Amino acid sequence: TTYGATKAIVELLVNDYSRKGFLDGRAARLPTVIVRPGSPNTAASSFISSVVREPFHGVDVVVPVPLSTTMAVIGYRTVVACLVALHELDGSDLGPDRAVELPSLPVTAEQLVASLGRVAGDRPLGKVTVEPDPAIARIVDAWAAHTAADKASALGLPHDPDADSIVRAFVEDFG
């Protein structure tokens, strides 16, 4: 896609400019960031935050893909921690390829709904229903459900241990 080609070009430029000493660059590849606060948007990935955010606030939500669809996600707190840690690293630790895939957690909407049930306790939750949208399913199915973050792990970047920790952070910060 044009989006992917643009990202690749920027990463190559960061690598080249770092090699030439023009800057000490880094490029972070982010998985889908959840749970995003605010209202749902039109992004194909929006539902994965909505299955937590809306039910927690007592609002029913419709999921456009099967609840068993797996997505590579990262909690918003972990993104911030990774970006700060990546910034603080000595550039020589990155080597010539300055791009780092941030660690993701493969989760399904079903797992997030279950996590919300555990974290929310007795709080009444909105209902989650599935109404398949083939266009969104095609987009989401084309994304990697699992990603390798070997470089991030070797650099000591933080990761989300489980879905409950991501949902708990959302409840603590936006509940």
Side-chain angles (χ1 to χ4, degrees), residues 34-52:
I34 64 169
V35 172
R36 294 182 180 199
S39 301
N41 60 38
T42 58
S45 62
S46 184
F47 74 89
I48 203 70
S49 282
S50 293
V51 299
V52 173

Side-chain angles (χ1 to χ4, degrees), residues 95-119:
D97 182 1
R98 297 308 187 93
V100 178
E101 179 80 35
L102 298 189
S104 67
L105 180 69
V107 298
T108 64
E110 187 173 41
Q111 289 170 320
L112 288 171
V113 170
S115 288
L116 179 60
R118 287 188 294 274
V119 172

Side-chain angles (χ1 to χ4, degrees), residues 10 22 26 39 43 95 110 127 152 161 171:
V10 169
F22 298 160
R26 289 110 166 89
S39 301
E110 187 173 41
K127 184 177 160 187
V171 168

